[in-house]
Amino acid sequence: MRFLILIAFLVLATWGAHAIKEALNLEIRPGNEAMVHRGIMLGAVAYVGLLALPFVPGAEIGIAMLAAFGPGIAPLIYVATVASMMLAYTIGRFLPIKALERFLGLLHMQRAAALVARAAPLSGDDRLAMLLDGQSKRAVRVGLRYRYIALAVAVNTPGNSIIGGGGGIMMIAGLSGIFSPLLVFITIAVAVSPVPLAVLFLGLRLQ
């Protein structure tokens, strides 16, 4: 029942993201500046909230705003994207790691749940050491050692919604306890900058 409730919530949030995207298809006219301004502000708030949710395609709202309003909106989208990613990371930092163990158990992922149970009482450094010691595959070890680069790549990978989307990835990063807040902020600030910068300085148009 809890799993079905979670799925229903994600479906509803996804529907909301698409509805907001369609609502942002505004035509700017001399008499509707106030409505456009309200639409931008509401869209930005919804964008921050929905993008931070796991498995919800909130990025579509940002793309819709860039397509509708052009380069002038790019700085707001950039700030909102960084804020959303950091919000998801912060939520993860304050969530009890036992919540992840219970969620994995709910999905019958017993080995992963057991690994989380082993990591729960450890500090961030000890968790990282445990993960490194437990991995013989070179690719996994490299990913853990260069985890901030891996985080930037994961957030920017097309189709990452199947592994939780940007919000889910950032939430797990915070929950893991192996990512420094300052370094995460720097990583995300750089990782999400290419599209807004391209729109702002190169005149890239998103349709």
Side-chain angles (χ1 to χ4, degrees), residues 3-16:
F3 183 71
L4 291 175
I5 291 173
L6 174 62
I7 294 298
F9 173 76
L10 293 177
V11 169
L12 183 62
T14 301
W15 175 83

Side-chain angles (χ1 to χ4, degrees), residues 52-170:
L53 293 176
F55 301 104
V56 176
E60 291 188 0
I61 298 175
I63 294 173
M65 292 177 71
L66 286 171
F69 305 114
I73 203 73
L76 174 61
I77 296 300
Y78 173 72
V79 171
T81 303
V82 174
S84 180
M85 294 293 94
M86 292 307 298
L87 173 62
Y89 170 79
T90 303
I91 290 172
R93 292 270 295 183
F94 285 96
L95 280 175
I97 196 170
K98 285 290 185 180
L100 178 59
E101 181 186 349
R102 290 194 295 270
F103 179 70
L104 292 171
L106 181 66
L107 298 178
H108 300 288
M109 301 174 66
Q110 303 304 332
R111 291 181 61 187
L115 178 64
V116 171
R118 286 175 53 204
L122 303 177
S123 66
D125 290 339
D126 290 339
R127 288 178 190 175
L128 180 59
M130 184 195 77
L131 292 171
L132 286 170
D133 289 341
Q135 293 294 339
S136 58
K137 294 182 179 180
R138 178 176 176 81
V140 177
R141 293 179 65 86
V142 169
L144 286 169
R145 291 190 183 279
Y146 299 97
R147 57 194 178 278
Y148 293 98
I149 296 175
L151 181 65
V153 171
V155 167
N156 279 323
T157 299
N160 64 13
S161 58
I162 63 173
I163 57 171
I169 292 167
M170 294 303 298

Side-chain angles (χ1 to χ4, degrees), residues 175-188:
L175 192 59
S176 71
I178 63 174
F179 290 88
S180 160
L182 178 59
L183 292 179
V184 165
F185 175 77
I186 294 172
T187 299
I188 293 302

